[in-house]
């Protein structure tokens, strides 16, 4: 083969190789935004679904931040290599090279790469911001220092978002077993009702509308404020009181036909549950009932949630001269797969 023919073949082989490499790099370049959206969206969704596992949340947010940061650097490297191919093509075959160097802001070189990198940087920064905020708001669990009353602190800080979740459910949906107690035990007569841990007053409002006398006890001032706004019924008497002693309520000298504790018992510290049961028993009228729901699931220290069980409650009730009947069991209405709820009816033991 003549030297000129050999050189031509070599230049052709180099052109084909560079052309194939450029096309491969270009295809990968356009896949990066899809990778980023899938990575970020999937990890952020994962964070929203594992609210009970702080360390896992932090790990997912860290992965989202570092993943987008890595993709930012990858684009820089890929675009540099692609530019080398373009420079070689312009030098080797100027007649076939298209520069596309526009003058408007939207047609200038590196615009697409810059926009990709801006979005990647934004996603990384947002993930990092969420990581810092999540770690800071949960610093007690992260560093092992918890507020004196973590449950009250949590409800004060998250009252608005929690209220949205509570108000989406009706009492009939959340507590079908409670209606059974009212119909079977009290035959729909007017009752004196104590709602301990009344939250937004959703259930208290239902009792007030049915003509019952209702006292709504809620230790969180923020939750009470929302409750008074959403359910401004004059028939609801709000009190800022809390277990285990319910000092203000006991001082009033009142007793009640029905005492309701919905999603409350897991917030009572284990060593305070026996005194709390004695307090509740002292507030019951003869023949009265306590309706209590047990959250069966993992503990959450930052929310002041401790483990409970039907067996442990039964033992505590026996020591307080109380007896219990299991009414029903249902999955979590907010969609948390690792949590279920058991409804119990508690009354005085017959000696």
């Amino acid at each position: 083969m003549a030297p000129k023919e050999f050189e031509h073949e070599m230049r052709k082989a180099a052109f084909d190789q560079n052309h194939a490499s450029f096309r491969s790099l270009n295809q990968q370049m356009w896949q990066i935004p899809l990778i980023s959206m899938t990575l970020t969206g999937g990890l952020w969704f994962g964070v929203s679904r594992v609210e009970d596992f702080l360390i896992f949340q932090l790990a997912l947010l860290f992965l989202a931040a570092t993943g987008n940061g890595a993709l930012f650097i990858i684009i820089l490297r890929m675009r540099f290599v692609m530019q080398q191919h373009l420079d070689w093509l312009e030098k080797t075959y100027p007649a076939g090279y298209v520069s596309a160097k526009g003058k408007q802001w939207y047609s200038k070189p590196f615009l697409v790469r810059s926009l990709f990198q801006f979005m990647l940087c934004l996603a990384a920064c947002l993930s990092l911001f969420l990581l810092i905020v999540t770690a800071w708001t949960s610093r007690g669990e992260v560093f092992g220092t918890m507020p004196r009353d973590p449950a009250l602190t949590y409800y004060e800080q998250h009252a608005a978002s929690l209220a949205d979740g509570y108000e989406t459910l009706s009492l009939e949906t959340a507590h079908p077993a409670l209606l059974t107690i009212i119909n079977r035990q009290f035959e729909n007569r007017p009752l004196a009702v104590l709602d301990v841990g009344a939250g937004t007053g959703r259930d208290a409002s239902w009792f007030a509308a049915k003509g019952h006398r209702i006292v709504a006890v809620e230790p969180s001032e923020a939750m009470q404020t929302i409750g008074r706004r959403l359910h401004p019924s004059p028939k609801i008497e709000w009190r800022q009181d809390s277990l285990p002693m319910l000092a203000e309520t006991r001082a009033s000298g009142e007793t009640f036909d029905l005492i309701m504790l919905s999603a409350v018992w897991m917030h009572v510290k284990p060593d305070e549950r026996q005194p709390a049961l004695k307090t509740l028993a002292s507030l019951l009228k003869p023949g009265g009932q306590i309706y209590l729901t047990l959250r069966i699931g993992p503990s959450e220290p930052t929310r002041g949630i401790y483990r409970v069980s039907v067996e442990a409650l039964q033992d505590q009730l026996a020591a307080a001269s109380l007896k219990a009947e299991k009414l029903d069991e249902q999955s979590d209405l907010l969609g948390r797969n690792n949590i279920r709820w058991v409804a119990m009816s508690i009354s005085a033991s017959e000696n």
Side-chain angles (χ1 to χ4, degrees):
M1 181 181 294
K4 288 186 176 181
E5 292 180 356
F6 178 76
E7 182 180 356
H8 174 75
E9 289 298 322
M10 290 299 292
R11 289 171 67 87
K12 182 177 181 300
F15 181 90
D16 291 340
Q17 177 63 39
N18 283 311
H19 180 259
S21 297
F22 183 85
R23 289 188 62 185
S24 176
L25 288 168
N26 191 52
Q27 290 175 352
Q28 294 177 46
M29 180 87 166
W30 286 100
Q31 289 175 0
I32 288 179
L34 180 60
I35 295 172
S36 175
M37 287 188 292
T38 304
L39 171 76
T40 307
L43 292 174
W44 284 5
F45 178 76
V47 169
S48 70
R49 301 299 295 175
V50 293
E51 59 181 14
D52 297 338
F53 303 98
L54 174 64
I55 300 302
F56 196 33
Q57 283 184 317
L58 297 179
L60 292 178
L61 289 171
F62 177 77
L63 183 58
T66 54
N68 282 290
L71 290 173
F72 179 93
I73 297 172
I74 289 171
I75 283 187
L76 275 179
R77 174 59 183 170
M78 290 180 65
R79 191 62 184 85
F80 173 79
V81 176
M82 291 170 68
Q83 188 61 46
Q84 302 308 303
H85 285 287
L86 291 173
D87 292 343
W88 179 87
L89 177 61
E90 182 179 16
K91 181 180 178 180
T92 304
Y93 185 44
Y97 179 77
V98 180
S99 64
K101 294 179 180 179
K103 296 181 180 180
Q104 302 295 329
W105 68 268
Y106 53 81
S107 60
K108 288 184 178 180
F110 304 112
L111 175 67
V112 174
R113 185 201 72 177
S114 299
L115 290 176
F116 280 174
Q117 289 178 303
F118 171 76
M119 295 304 296
L120 290 170
C121 185
L122 182 61
C125 290
L126 284 175
S127 297
L128 186 60
F129 173 76
L130 291 172
L131 172 65
I132 294 171
V133 170
T134 303
W136 176 254
T137 55
S138 306
R139 60 191 180 279
E141 183 176 354
V142 175
F143 299 108
T145 57
M146 300 296 293
R148 186 172 182 179
D149 191 339
L152 181 58
T153 301
Y154 183 85
Y155 282 99
E156 287 288 312
Q157 293 176 345
H158 301 86
S161 59
L162 291 171
D164 290 339
Y166 296 157
E167 292 296 325
T168 58
L169 301 173
S170 65
L171 179 140
E172 291 87 350
T173 300
H175 305 294
L178 179 58
L179 301 179
T180 301
I181 291 179
I182 295 172
N183 295 331
R184 181 186 65 189
Q185 189 74 20
F186 301 109
E187 299 178 349
N188 290 321
R189 62 182 173 84
L191 304 175
V193 181
L194 175 65
D195 187 359
V196 180
T200 59
R202 177 199 66 193
D203 300 334
S205 176
W206 184 91
F207 281 106
K210 299 293 183 180
H212 302 293
R213 153 86 173 137
I214 177 72
V215 175
V217 168
E218 174 53 52
S220 168
E221 185 176 351
M223 294 296 285
Q224 269 205 43
T225 300
I226 294 173
R228 292 175 187 272
R229 187 184 75 246
L230 294 178
H231 306 290
S233 171
K235 296 181 180 180
I236 302 176
E237 180 184 344
W238 287 92
R239 291 181 188 170
Q240 196 164 2
D241 208 352
S242 62
L243 288 169
M245 302 312 296
L246 290 175
E248 182 179 341
T249 304
R250 291 182 68 186
S252 71
E254 296 173 271
T255 54
F256 301 88
D257 298 295
L258 177 65
I259 300 176
M260 180 176 179
L261 293 92
S262 170
V264 169
W265 196 244
M266 74 277 194
H267 290 307
V268 181
K269 295 177 182 178
D271 60 348
E272 294 181 347
R273 288 174 181 167
Q274 204 68 58
L277 286 173
K278 291 181 179 179
T279 296
L280 294 170
S282 70
L283 294 171
L284 272 181
K285 288 184 176 183
Q289 294 280 320
I290 299 172
Y291 173 81
L292 181 148
T293 61
L294 293 177
R295 175 191 181 276
I296 309 300
S299 61
E300 297 181 44
T302 56
R303 294 179 58 184
I305 292 178
Y306 309 93
R307 286 186 177 273
V308 300
S309 69
V310 174
E311 294 75 20
L313 178 62
Q314 294 279 15
D315 292 340
Q316 293 158 354
L317 290 171
S321 299
L322 297 170
K323 63 179 181 179
E325 175 189 356
K326 181 178 177 180
L327 300 173
D328 73 359
E329 182 172 340
Q330 57 182 330
S331 58
D332 185 66
L333 296 178
L334 298 179
R336 294 168 293 189
N337 295 327
N338 59 335
I339 295 173
R340 69 183 195 278
W341 295 89
V342 175
M344 308 285 290
S345 173
I346 299 170
S347 59
S349 297
E350 297 178 3
N351 296 322

